[in-house]
Amino acid sequence: MKTSLFTGWQARFHAVCLLMLVSALAVGAFSSTAQAQAQVTPAPSETVAVEPLPVAAAPAAPAADAAAAAAPSFDHGDVAWMLTSTLLVLLMVVPGLALFYGGLVRSKNVLSILSQILVVFSLILILWVAYGYSAVFSEGNAFFGSFTEFAFLKGFTPDSVGNTPIKGLPDYLFVAFQSTFAGITTALIVGAFAERIKFKAVLLFSALWFTLSYIPMAHIVWGGGYLGAMGAIDFAGGTVVHINAGVAGLVGAYFVGKRIGYGQTALKPHNVPFTYIGAMLLWVGWFGFNAGSAAAADTVASLAFLNTILATAAAVLGWTLVEAVSKGKPSALGAASGAVAGLVGITPACGTVGPLGAIVIGLAAGVVCVWGVTGLKRLLRVDDTADVFGVHGIGGIVGALLTGVFSAQSLGGTKADLDIGHQVWVQLVSVGFTIVWCAVVTAVILLVVRMVFGLRVTEEAERTGLDVTSHGESAYEA
């Protein structure tokens, strides 16, 4: 009983203390509020002192206008299209090019070529940011820009606009778009000497070739260098990308040598559906490559888009027709190769020729490239595994030369008062310059790589397959 009373008293005591504390807090809060209100409530005599406040705030309006004027300005539609185009070019490489080449090699080497393309592409993306962009698009001489001015994108910020040749895009977006061009160009080469080259040799070759062949050619054509100043037309990379990579592949195939059994046994593609799917992914991605080179969602991009459709279709028909006549049976592999040939052919011309010109260029590229991968290949006596030179080199040459013809407004192009004879001569000079520059540089680089690592795997490794010997895995378990 005593315990119960004590407990009740204790509870009542705590309740009274709590009530007193709450009351004290309430009184303090009320008095503070009242004091604050008393301080901020203006006396009638202070009304005049309040009037000048709007006048003091007036200068803020011009400052806000200046800040708005200084903010980055660009067309959101253009930005959206260029983001999409960059993604489409990425689709061209992985998985497009990887599957295209992967189906052309034998089953024991498919993972090797997939790995080479992915790792080479990744390597070039990093080198592009490190010094590639700077060396291409900064001021310099006729062949190189500065390797340090924009190294690692020095001076660029997420909000910066107008520090690139394309003023209407965020700087980072233009850098990203151009990085995919550098990456796919270098990755194209590995198909020429696939199935017998050392993995570390591929990586060293790619880094050196990017530095000494891709960078100068891109600067010479697109960065204000020698050929660009001469007036050469290369809208999306006929010389910079395709002839450049095609010649490098040809020289590389010579240096590495023929595969064991080449010319004695049939070295057939192991998976034509892979190659077919890869070619179709290339076609889809190429719209970013070509139409994206307009750097805006405008009429030029629309023209390049249409031309990419028409030239590719014409090349497929041209290649198929030649195969049907010469071999009696048109092949799926030939049709897929024809699509790539048409894409290559229209690349330098897509933004300056009309639809009729695109059809002619595509048809010519399809027909001539059949000879490039058959007759010319036999004449050159070279083992170009994925026909890099026969398709990209020859198709790029055809497209670059015909660009000088069909860009004329009189033939449906966009160039008014174009002297066709003079322009074809300029295009011929650009083609010849690209071939010589790339051939010499590639040969020197391969000599260096051969001294450092050696180029070719052992005969035993080649017979076993590079999937197992170079990467320790197999695509198809027995």
Side-chain angles (χ1 to χ4, degrees):
M1 184 67 178
K2 290 181 180 180
T3 304
S4 176
L5 287 174
F6 180 80
T7 303
W9 170 84
Q10 189 179 39
R12 287 191 294 272
F13 177 78
H14 289 166
V16 171
C17 290
L18 181 61
L19 180 61
M20 292 173 64
L21 178 62
V22 171
S23 300
L25 292 174
V27 171
F30 177 80
S31 60
S32 298
T33 303
Q35 184 178 5
Q37 288 177 348
Q39 290 176 349
V40 300
T41 303
S45 58
E46 296 177 347
T47 304
V48 177
V50 177
E51 290 297 330
L53 289 179
V55 178
D65 292 342
S73 101
F74 45 77
D75 186 288
H76 288 80
D78 292 344
V79 172
W81 168 238
M82 292 307 296
L83 288 169
T84 303
S85 296
T86 304
L87 183 62
L88 287 171
V89 182
L90 176 62
L91 178 72
M92 292 173 64
V93 190
V94 281
L97 182 65
L99 286 173
F100 185 80
Y101 282 174
L104 291 175
V105 300
R106 288 166 290 177
S107 60
K108 62 183 179 180
N109 297 310
V110 59
L111 295 181
S112 171
I113 194 68
L114 297 182
S115 298
Q116 288 176 17
I117 290 172
L118 177 59
V119 177
V120 165
F121 183 68
S122 301
L123 171 65
I124 300 306
L125 295 183
I126 300 300
L127 295 182
W128 176 255
V129 171
Y131 59 83
Y133 175 83
S134 180
V136 171
F137 290 107
S138 63
E139 292 185 5
N141 54 43
F143 303 100
F144 288 93
S146 168
F147 280 79
T148 59
E149 183 176 351
F150 302 124
F152 289 102
L153 307 185
K154 180 172 56 180
F156 286 29
T157 68
D159 294 328
S160 63
V161 174
N163 297 318
T164 69
I166 306 300
K167 303 303 181 184
L169 296 176
D171 294 340
Y172 281 161
L173 178 52
F174 181 75
V175 172
F177 180 66
Q178 286 294 327
S179 74
T180 59
F181 276 61
I184 192 173
T185 305
T186 312
L188 282 171
I189 303 169
V190 304
F193 39 66
E195 300 195 288
R196 71 266 199 197
I197 193 170
K198 294 179 179 179
F199 185 67
K200 56 187 176 182
V202 170
L203 297 185
L204 179 57
F205 167 80
S206 299
L208 293 175
W209 189 88
F210 163 74
T211 305
L212 299 175
S213 190
Y214 181 83
I215 284 177
M217 283 306 308
H219 180 77
I220 288 166
V221 176
W222 294 332
Y226 170 62
L227 294 178
M230 182 185 290
I233 301 173
D234 189 355
F235 188 79
T239 52
V240 177
V241 177
H242 297 292
I243 301 176
N244 206 9
V247 172
L250 179 65
V251 175
Y254 274 123
F255 268 78
V256 178
K258 299 176 182 178
R259 289 169 289 176
I260 296 173
Y262 181 79
Q264 300 170 353
T265 59
L267 305 178
K268 295 182 178 180
H270 93 282
N271 195 323
V272 174
F274 269 20
T275 299
Y276 178 88
I277 294 170
M280 297 307 102
L281 288 171
L282 284 168
W283 192 353
V284 173
W286 222 290
F287 290 106
F289 199 83
N290 282 357
S293 292
D298 58 10
T299 56
V300 178
S302 302
L303 176 64
F305 203 100
L306 176 61
N307 287 341
T308 303
I309 293 175
L310 297 176
T312 310
V316 170
L317 296 177
W319 192 301
T320 300
L321 178 62
V322 171
E323 274 198 340
V325 172
S326 61
K327 298 181 179 180
K329 295 179 180 179
S331 66
L333 179 59
S337 300
V340 176
L343 291 164
V344 170
I346 197 58
T347 293
C350 59
T352 57
V353 304
L356 180 59
I359 293 173
V360 174
I361 291 173
L363 185 63
V367 171
V368 176
C369 284
V370 177
W371 170 75
V373 304
T374 53
L376 179 60
K377 188 175 181 178
R378 286 193 294 269
L379 288 174
L380 296 174
R381 296 182 180 180
V382 63
D383 181 12
D384 181 349
T385 307
D387 291 316
V388 177
F389 181 73
V391 174
H392 294 274
I394 298 301
I397 292 170
V398 170
L401 295 178
L402 292 181
T403 298
V405 177
F406 291 100
S407 292
Q409 198 172 64
S410 59
L411 295 176
T414 63
K415 301 291 185 180
D417 302 322
L418 181 72
D419 184 335
I420 294 177
H422 172 72
Q423 189 62 48
V424 170
W425 169 250
V426 171
Q427 299 299 108
L428 181 61
V429 170
S430 70
V431 168
F433 181 92
T434 305
I435 292 173
V436 173
W437 180 284
C438 182
V440 172
V441 168
T442 303
V444 172
I445 291 172
L446 287 167
L447 287 172
V448 172
V449 175
R450 186 160 65 185
M451 288 189 295
V452 176
F453 290 135
L455 292 173
R456 189 159 182 155
V457 300
T458 64
E459 182 176 337
E460 180 183 357
E462 185 177 345
R463 291 188 185 278
T464 303
L466 301 189
D467 287 1
V468 172
T469 59
S470 295
H471 303 281
E473 54 190 345
S474 177
Y476 308 103
E477 297 295 337

